């Protein structure tokens, strides 16, 4: 299965990605020369990982008819102080008091099936092809 998106440069430090009928807008912070009008590409990337994990948690609960009204997932990124590379992603999961304790480990196992997490474990190859018009 092949998927493709188009990347556009609308001005300043903004970079937009058109994909499946959506335009995902990014920008840099004001301190980094942008207008701060949208998340940075890396912020969007890590937010996507959190949302992917959240979807797996949501599906797990929905299949078991567990109320998700109090379910909350927060993501903490720990970065290297010199390289700024993210070295650890911590997923804090707040469960409702009535969440069945017997499902806690299974919930975490299901979240570990996240499609994006699998890409960290088996990263894709990068290939660059140039075209001149």
């Amino acid at each position: 299965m092949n998927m493709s998106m188009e990347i556009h440069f609308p001005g300043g430090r903004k970079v937009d990605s058109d994909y499946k009928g959506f335009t995902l807008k990014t920008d840099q912070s004001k301190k980094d020369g942008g207008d701060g009008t949208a998340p940075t590409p890396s912020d969007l990337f890590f937010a996507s990982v959190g949302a992917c994990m959240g979807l797996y948690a949501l599906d797990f609960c929905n299949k078991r008819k567990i109320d998700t009204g109090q379910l909350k997932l927060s993501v903490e990124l720990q970065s290297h102080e010199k390289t700024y590379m993210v070295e650890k992603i911590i997923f804090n999961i707040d469960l409702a008091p009535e969440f069945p304790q017997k499902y806690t480990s299974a919930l975490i196992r299901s979240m570990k099936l996240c499609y994006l997490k699998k890409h960290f474990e088996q990263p894709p190859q990068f290939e660059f092809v140039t075209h001149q018009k």
Side-chain angles (χ1 to χ4, degrees):
M1 172 168 85
N2 292 333
M3 299 182 288
S4 65
M5 63 182 70
E6 288 192 11
I7 310 302
H8 301 278
F9 309 96
R13 306 246 9 237
K14 295 175 177 70
V15 180
D16 295 348
S17 301
D18 290 338
Y19 184 65
K20 291 187 175 182
F22 296 98
T23 299
L24 304 171
K25 297 180 177 292
T26 68
D27 195 1
Q28 294 296 305
S29 67
K30 289 184 178 184
K31 77 174 183 61
D32 289 327
D35 295 324
T37 61
T40 67
S42 55
D43 290 341
L44 192 58
F45 174 79
F46 287 109
S48 295
V49 174
C52 185
M53 291 284 185
L55 180 61
Y56 279 77
L58 179 66
D59 286 347
F60 178 90
C61 291
N62 286 344
K63 286 177 185 170
R64 289 156 185 82
K65 298 184 182 354
I66 298 170
D67 181 30
T68 58
Q70 294 184 52
L71 179 66
K72 180 182 172 189
L73 178 64
S74 60
V75 182
E76 180 182 339
L77 305 175
Q78 292 184 352
S79 301
H80 188 277
E81 64 182 50
K82 291 183 182 170
T83 66
Y84 302 106
M85 296 293 292
V86 173
E87 295 182 317
K88 185 186 284 189
I89 305 172
I90 301 169
F91 298 91
N92 295 293
I93 308 161
D94 293 335
L95 304 172
E98 62 274 2
F99 185 90
Q101 203 169 19
K102 68 180 182 178
Y103 285 137
T104 302
S105 295
L107 171 68
I108 293 169
R109 279 194 308 275
S110 75
M111 291 173 65
K112 288 180 177 181
L113 297 173
C114 165
Y115 178 72
L116 295 179
K117 179 184 175 294
K118 290 180 180 183
H119 283 80
F120 284 99
E121 295 165 348
Q122 295 181 3
Q125 296 178 12
F126 287 75
E127 181 179 328
F128 299 87
V129 180
T130 61
H131 305 273
Q132 277 187 308
K133 296 180 180 184

